[in-house]
Amino acid sequence: MVRKKYADDFRLENVLDTNGKLKTKAVYRGKWFRFRSDSHVIERMKRIYTALAIISVLVLLSMLFTTDVMGNFWYVVMPLACNLIPVFFVVAGCWRLLTAKDRVTREHKDQIHDRLAPASMFQTVFALLGVAGGIVSDFRISAFGFGRVLFLLGGLVLTAAGLFMFLLRKNLLMEETAAE
């Protein structure tokens, strides 16, 4: 389904199907975009972003299921719970990146660069807040252990994954290209 924002990029055309019946079909007539970077850079970015997104999901879920190690304090759990939204958008942006061809529509362009950049930034911020909450939790209850260290390392990995994606965003910039 086409969202209203992108409705003007499509035009309805009547075409004959294989049975000879007249069907109305939406045909893209909007602007086309392509990556500014070379194809080998884009292929590398696809691998890097996919790996970082998978790492982000696995680390975030493992941290959410082990918050009892940190005492289930709100300042530990809330940043992690809030991080579900940016990580979801990172995964959605990576899916769009993986399915991108040489030319993409305006909607596809918006869902790659314009989605991944802010989502990775918010992932970094929320992960850092979770790490800070974990450190406060450590000092509040004066309990330092292996599980707590692993939890904080997971937060740092989540922070680093978001930061790397944010720093690599310039490789995903796109420019307008000819229609055909």
Side-chain angles (χ1 to χ4, degrees):
M1 196 67 182
V2 178
R3 284 192 244 141
K4 190 174 184 177
K5 177 180 178 182
Y6 305 105
D8 292 338
D9 292 346
F10 290 88
R11 186 174 70 203
L12 295 176
E13 291 184 0
N14 295 322
V15 294
L16 292 174
D17 66 359
T18 56
N19 298 331
K21 292 184 179 182
L22 193 63
K23 293 184 83 174
T24 303
K25 184 177 178 183
V27 178
Y28 186 76
R29 296 294 180 203
K31 297 177 181 177
W32 289 94
F33 295 88
R34 68 175 187 83
F35 290 102
R36 288 183 185 172
S37 301
D38 296 332
S39 62
H40 69 279
V41 173
I42 297 305
E43 290 302 317
R44 191 174 74 221
M45 288 301 110
K46 286 180 180 183
R47 289 190 303 271
I48 290 172
Y49 270 89
T50 302
L52 291 173
I54 291 170
I55 289 169
S56 297
V57 168
L58 294 176
V59 169
L60 179 62
L61 291 178
S62 67
M63 289 176 70
L64 281 171
F65 288 117
T66 59
T67 55
D68 57 336
V69 171
M70 300 304 282
N72 282 330
F73 294 113
W74 68 268
Y75 43 83
V76 176
V77 178
M78 287 305 292
L80 292 177
C82 290
N83 216 348
L84 285 170
I85 296 168
V87 169
F88 169 78
F89 281 112
V90 162
V91 170
C94 285
W95 175 253
R96 279 302 206 170
L97 177 62
L98 286 173
T99 59
K101 305 287 186 224
D102 293 336
R103 293 184 323 152
V104 296
T105 63
R106 185 169 63 105
E107 181 180 14
H108 208 138
K109 172 200 162 281
D110 291 348
Q111 292 176 344
I112 294 174
H113 181 268
D114 298 349
R115 177 180 283 172
L116 281 172
S120 59
M121 179 193 62
F122 280 108
Q123 175 183 332
T124 303
V125 169
F126 285 134
L128 273 176
L129 289 173
V131 169
I135 292 171
V136 168
S137 168
D138 283 344
F139 287 108
R140 181 174 178 193
I141 61 174
S142 298
F144 304 98
F146 185 69
R148 291 176 165 279
V149 170
L150 285 179
F151 189 88
L152 292 176
L153 284 176
L156 291 175
V157 167
L158 192 60
T159 301
L163 184 61
F164 287 142
M165 284 188 278
F166 184 73
L167 294 175
L168 292 172
R169 73 190 183 283
K170 69 181 181 316
N171 293 318
L172 300 179
L173 289 174
M174 294 190 181
E175 60 191 9
E176 193 175 332
T177 187
E180 286 291 332

